[in-house]
């Protein structure tokens, strides 16, 4: 979803863990400023402390351990998900009025972005009909049959044709933290990470792959300060 004017998208990275309420408030403010023509598009990379978020389709029964981590209601699409250290969250604030106002094409572009970034890191990702996110196939082992696990989640919201929320890529989070929820309402498949797949990737390396893949799908980027 390239912009006709090829305007660069700001690319910001927070080095410290960002509390979820602070990130959500800053993201919503920036999305509003973009819609008003007072700020440019932005991708904001960060990590959160351990927490669960509930999207607009979240079911109470899918929160298996309510007291384990803080739970935040979120306006994004989707169900329950986990965020925490070792997971790269990318909040994507793009002006779809300048990119064609095609929601389906936008989601497909987000998927293509993550799949491209994974390929640059030596991992083959793909999408599955009826399942949100990006998945990897796991071969059979002596301990079990072949399966598919989610390596990246996607959950976005649009307001006045500006996107916010975004994607999360599991680089090396504590995968046991996902057991407190039914991730995205999916019970028949698991969750994985680059580390779990045997790819020991530093966060900076993952960021570089995300940046290069984003530019290939959405257009040029330029360094920008984080929102908080």
């Amino acid at each position: 979803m390239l912009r006709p004017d090829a305007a660069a998208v700001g690319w910001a990275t927070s080095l410290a863990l960002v509390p979820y309420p602070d990130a959500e408030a800053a993201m919503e403010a920036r999305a509003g400023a973009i819609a008003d023509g007072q700020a440019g598009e932005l991708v904001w990379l960060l990590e959160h402390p351990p927490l669960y978020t509930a999207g607009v389709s979240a079911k109470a029964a899918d929160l298996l351990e309510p007291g384990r981590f803080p739970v935040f209601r979120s306006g994004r699409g989707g169900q329950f998900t986990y965020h925490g250290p070792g997971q790269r969250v990318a909040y994507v604030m793009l002006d779809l009025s300048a990119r064609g106002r095609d929601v389906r094409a936008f989601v497909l572009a987000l998927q293509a972005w993550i799949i491209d970034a994974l390929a640059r890191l030596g991992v083959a990702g793909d999408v599955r009909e009826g399942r949100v996110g990006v998945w990897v196939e796991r071969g059979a082992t002596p301990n079990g049959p072949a399966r598919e696990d989610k390596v990246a989640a996607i959950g976005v919201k649009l307001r006045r044709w500006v996107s916010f929320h975004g994607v999360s890529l599991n680089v090396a989070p504590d995968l046991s933290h996902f057991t407190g929820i039914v991730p995205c309402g999916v019970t028949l498949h698991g969750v994985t990470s680059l580390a779990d797949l045997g790819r020991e990737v530093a966060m900076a390396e993952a960021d570089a792959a995300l940046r290069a893949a984003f530019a290939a799908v959405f257009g040029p980027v330029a360094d920008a300060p984080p929102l908080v």
Side-chain angles (χ1 to χ4, degrees), residues 77-111:
Q79 302 185 42
F80 278 103
T81 194
Y82 166 78
H83 294 313
Q87 181 192 72
R88 175 53 86 207
V89 174
Y91 288 133
V92 182
M93 290 152 273
L94 298 183
D95 183 2
L96 296 197
S97 290
R99 294 175 180 271
R101 291 196 176 192
D102 188 329
V103 177
R104 183 175 183 275
F106 176 54
V107 173
L108 290 175
L110 291 174
Q111 293 172 341

Side-chain angles (χ1 to χ4, degrees), residues 3-226:
R3 285 183 63 139
D5 57 8
V9 177
W11 191 268
T13 305
S14 289
L15 301 180
L17 299 180
V18 180
Y20 186 81
D22 295 352
E24 187 169 46
M27 178 172 44
E28 291 214 19
R30 180 59 174 252
I34 294 170
D36 290 335
Q38 298 175 352
E41 296 178 313
L42 183 71
V43 175
W44 181 20
L45 305 185
L46 53 82
E47 293 172 84
H48 287 304
L51 58 91
Y52 298 129
T53 67
V56 295
S57 301
K59 301 174 183 177
D62 288 346
L63 180 59
L64 305 179
E65 298 181 37
R68 186 170 186 181
F69 296 127
V71 179
F72 297 96
R73 294 288 163 183
S74 170
R76 63 164 173 80
Q79 302 185 42
F80 278 103
T81 194
Y82 166 78
H83 294 313
Q87 181 192 72
R88 175 53 86 207
V89 174
Y91 288 133
V92 182
M93 290 152 273
L94 298 183
D95 183 2
L96 296 197
S97 290
R99 294 175 180 271
R101 291 196 176 192
D102 188 329
V103 177
R104 183 175 183 275
F106 176 54
V107 173
L108 290 175
L110 291 174
Q111 293 172 341
W113 168 34
I114 299 304
I115 290 170
D116 186 354
L118 287 169
R120 295 168 190 264
L121 296 168
V123 173
D126 205 348
V127 295
R128 292 292 182 267
E129 185 70 29
R131 282 189 257 143
V132 179
V134 177
W135 300 76
V136 295
E137 293 187 3
R138 311 293 298 272
T141 70
N143 298 322
R147 68 181 195 271
E148 294 176 341
D149 291 341
K150 179 182 283 191
V151 69
I154 298 174
V156 295
K157 184 176 178 64
L158 296 178
R159 184 178 297 148
R160 297 164 62 196
W161 288 104
V162 175
S163 69
F164 52 108
H165 296 283
V167 306
S168 57
L169 172 64
N170 295 331
V171 179
D174 185 338
L175 293 180
S176 72
H177 290 178
F178 285 89
T179 61
I181 57 172
V182 177
C184 300
V186 177
T187 58
L188 299 179
H189 304 278
V191 177
T192 190
S193 66
L194 297 180
D196 184 51
L197 293 168
R199 292 289 294 120
E200 297 297 331
V201 174
M203 193 64 76
E205 184 181 355
D207 289 350
L210 285 167
R211 181 168 180 153
F214 183 91
V217 174
F218 290 99
V221 300
D223 290 339

